Amino acid sequence: MADADAWWFNTKTGQVEHGAQSPWTDRAGPYTSREEAEGAAARIAENSRRWADEDRREQ
């Protein structure tokens, strides 16, 4: 998938973008649809929570 065809979640603004509009440091993705990109914030938060839980258990 080319960057121009992909959907991205901008982690700085919280907005969904079509195509690589923002710097890569501010983007999560690529995603194949707007809906998938819109759910990125929830997936990122869940992954962070899960990894933090795993780190606590390992210590």
Side-chain angles (χ1 to χ4, degrees):
M1 168 177 19
D3 282 353
D5 296 329
W7 292 89
W8 302 85
F9 178 75
N10 185 310
T11 58
K12 193 171 190 177
T13 66
Q15 300 296 311
V16 170
E17 301 174 350
H18 190 230
Q21 299 175 23
S22 299
W24 69 269
T25 55
D26 297 335
R27 288 184 278 144
Y31 299 100
T32 57
S33 69
R34 171 180 277 282
E35 293 76 21
E36 189 179 8
E38 287 171 342
R43 282 190 301 281
I44 291 167
E46 175 59 23
N47 287 341
S48 294
R49 184 200 60 74
R50 190 168 13 111
W51 294 327
D53 288 348
E54 289 172 6
D55 286 347
R56 277 191 291 276
R57 279 189 297 248
E58 290 174 0
Q59 293 178 4

